Amino acid sequence: MFSARVPARWRPNRVARALGRIRARADAVIDLTESNPTRVGLWYPPGILDALADESGLAYDPQPRGLAVAREAVARHLGRQGVRVDPSRVVLAAGTSEAYSRLFTLLCDPGDEVLVPRPGYPLLDHLTRLDGITPRPYPLAYHGTWEIDGDALERRVTPRTRALVVVNPNNPTGSYLSAADRALVRAVCRRHGLALIADEVFLRYALDGEAPARPATRLAPARGRSVVGRMDGVLTFGLGGLSKEVGLPQLKLAWIVVDGPLRAAARALRALEFVSDAYLSVAAPVQLAAGRLLEDGDTVARSIAARVRRNRDALRGRVAEHPAHTLLRLDGGWYAVVQVPATQPEEALVLDLIEHDRVVVHPGYLYDFPREAFVVLSLLPAPRPFEDGVARLLTRAAGAAA
Ligand SMILES: Cc1ncc(COP(=O)(O)O)c(C=O)c1O
C-alpha cells in the first residue's frame, strides 16, 4: 500500500533497543550524541523570543520566497560575517531539511542522482530517498586532514547526476573544504553541468581562529552582480539556518542563497518560488522576528562556540592519555571523531557502553565510515557529564583492546 520511499518495517536497531531498555529502568544516561542546543544547559538571553509576538504577525501576507523583511535580515546577518548577499537571491524554508527537499524538487526528476560526501550527515540518505532520488556517496579520505578523493568523485558522476552536495564544515568530520577541494568541486560541477549545494549550517563554528575563506560556496551576488558564479558558470545554492547559526532549531527558519550565472540564477529563483508557493511553510512570526533573532542570537552562538571548544580541549587531553585512541583532526562544527582500537565491532563497543557505562555515542558506521572502528561524539553536552562520559568511553574502549 505504501511507497518504497518509506521503510517497509519499523523494527528499532540493536542500539536503539539497548537504549530503550536502560531508559525504561530510569537509569541516568550520559548522552554524548546530544546535539540539540536547547537541551544542554546553554544560556539564552531572556526575551530572545519576544520579537515573535510582534502584532504585525496577525496579518497574513504569503510570499513564496519569504517576506522581504526576513530576507533582508538574512542578507544583513551574512553581511556582518563578511559575505555580501543580495536579499533578492535569498529564499526561505522551514528548516534546512526542507531547503534540501525544495532544491531536490527543483533540480531532479525521480531516479536522478546527487553526489553526497562520505563519511557524512546520515539524514542526507533519507532526504534524497524521500524525494525519490538516489544519493551517490563520494569519499573523503583522511591523511591527517580530510580531503575529497577527486578521482573517485569524478567516477561517481553518471548521466543521471544533477547536483553535488558539499557540507562545509562536514558533519561529522569537522573538515572545511580546502581551497583545492573548493576548486575541485567547482571544476567537476562545471564539467558535468551539475548544481552545487553547499550546506554551510556550521560554517561559523570554526574551532581555531576564523572560519576559512568561504567565498567559493557562500558568496552570493551583491546588487545582482555575481562574482563567483559568473566567473565559472556554476549554479550554487548555499544553505544556512537559525538551527545552528543561533542555536534555535525549534523556530524552523532556514535560507537558501542562490548564486551563479545571472540568467541561470534568475531562472532558479523563479522555479524555487513556484515550488515554495505550493507549501508556504515558513510561519510569519518567525520571519518578522528574524532580524532580532539573528542579532540577539549572536550571544548564543558565542556560548555554543565556547562550549564546543572547551569540550574539544577536554577530549583532546583525555585522548592523549590513551595512546591506543586517536582524536581525528577537526576544524569546525559540533562533532568529534575518535578512532578506537578495532579489536571488536563498533556496535559491540557502543552496546557495552550503553549497558555497562550508561554512555551513548554514535558508531562510525552510522556516518558511513569506510572501515571500523570510530565513534562520533557531540561536543555540545554540559562539561561535567561530557568529561565523565568521555572517561568512561575511553576506559571501556581501552579495556576491550587490552
Ligand atoms: C550538516 C547538517 N545540515 C543540516 C542540518 C539540519 O538543520 P535544520 O535543523 O535547519 O533542519 C543538520 C542538523 O544536524 C546538519 O548536521
Side-chain angles (χ1 to χ4, degrees):
M1 175 184 277
F2 300 129
S3 82
R5 301 180 193 197
V6 293
R9 268 175 288 133
W10 297 100
R11 190 168 159 70
N13 63 30
R14 290 174 63 184
V15 173
R17 291 207 300 277
L19 200 51
R21 273 197 303 279
I22 60 163
R23 287 216 158 112
R25 294 203 303 255
D27 288 347
V29 172
I30 299 179
D31 188 353
L32 294 182
T33 69
E34 184 59 83
S35 58
N36 177 344
T38 69
R39 284 205 203 128
V40 290
L42 290 165
W43 185 80
Y44 284 77
I48 189 170
L49 298 184
D50 286 358
L52 290 169
D54 188 322
E55 296 231 335
S56 39
L58 282 170
Y60 183 41
D61 173 23
Q63 296 291 338
R65 290 187 198 189
L67 295 175
V69 65
R71 291 185 287 106
E72 283 158 12
V74 169
R76 255 194 331 275
H77 175 73
L78 296 176
R80 285 195 293 275
Q81 300 180 0
V83 185
R84 289 184 309 158
V85 169
D86 183 330
S88 71
R89 294 293 190 93
V90 176
V91 178
L92 303 179
T96 316
S97 294
E98 191 184 88
Y100 270 116
S101 181
R102 299 281 176 271
L103 291 175
F104 295 153
T105 306
L106 171 75
L107 299 165
C108 303
D109 285 310
D112 281 345
E113 299 170 0
V114 297
L115 300 162
V116 298
R118 180 181 72 188
Y121 178 40
L123 199 62
L124 281 176
D125 210 47
H126 297 293
L127 291 174
T128 45
R129 292 179 198 284
L130 286 172
D131 272 330
I133 61 176
T134 306
R136 296 268 295 170
Y138 65 87
L140 307 181
Y142 187 71
H143 310 287
T145 55
W146 291 95
E147 278 163 21
I148 297 174
D149 177 338
D151 293 337
L153 172 62
E154 191 79 43
R155 283 198 302 275
R156 296 296 188 277
V157 179
T158 76
R160 299 230 50 177
T161 311
R162 295 287 171 266
L164 195 168
V165 175
V166 293
V167 181
N168 184 40
N170 189 37
N171 170 4
T173 57
S175 47
Y176 286 91
L177 264 74
S178 65
D181 278 354
R182 290 204 306 275
L184 170 75
V185 295
R186 301 199 76 89
V188 169
C189 287
R190 203 165 44 239
R191 209 157 31 247
H192 300 282
L194 312 180
L196 178 61
I197 299 175
D199 175 340
E200 303 197 317
V201 297
F202 292 113
L203 191 83
R204 75 184 305 181
Y205 296 99
L207 272 152
D208 299 302
E210 292 299 300
R214 37 185 87 159
T217 50
R218 213 189 214 188
L219 186 70
R223 283 178 226 92
R225 257 206 289 277
S226 169
V227 182
V228 171
R230 262 236 306 239
M231 272 184 339
D232 70 3
V234 176
L235 187 58
T236 303
F237 302 93
L239 307 183
L242 295 187
S243 169
K244 309 293 188 270
E245 198 76 16
V246 289
L248 292 168
Q250 71 277 43
L251 297 190
K252 307 304 295 177
L253 180 69
W255 52 82
I256 303 169
V257 179
V258 181
D259 191 15
L262 285 183
R263 185 136 12 117
R267 288 179 57 206
L269 282 159
R270 250 197 319 275
L272 270 179
E273 184 170 327
F274 172 81
V275 177
S276 298
D277 194 30
Y279 300 91
L280 296 167
S281 50
V282 192
V286 73
Q287 297 190 64
L288 294 166
R292 279 278 308 281
L293 291 165
L294 285 165
E295 279 172 32
D296 296 355
D298 264 345
T299 332
V300 183
R302 275 198 297 277
S303 28
I304 292 175
R307 169 73 61 85
V308 164
R309 223 170 265 140
R310 191 200 173 287
N311 281 345
R312 187 275 312 258
D313 291 346
L315 178 63
R316 192 187 261 166
R318 284 297 190 148
V319 172
E321 294 164 11
H322 291 263
H325 308 316
T326 310
L327 173 63
L328 301 200
R329 180 188 166 124
L330 71 152
D331 294 315
W334 297 358
Y335 301 94
V337 181
V338 178
Q339 183 168 18
V340 295
T343 46
Q344 61 174 347
E346 284 167 357
E347 187 170 82
L349 171 64
V350 170
L351 289 172
D352 272 351
L353 275 164
I354 293 174
E355 300 276 2
H356 303 295
D357 303 296
R358 311 285 181 263
V359 172
V360 190
V361 296
H362 276 149
Y365 68 74
L366 201 67
Y367 299 82
D368 221 357
F369 278 76
R371 61 189 168 80
E372 301 218 349
F374 300 93
V375 293
V376 176
L377 324 181
S378 163
L379 294 169
L380 280 193
R384 187 119 27 105
F386 181 81
E387 286 185 42
D388 190 5
V390 164
R392 295 188 208 180
L393 158 69
L394 297 177
T395 306
R396 166 82 40 201

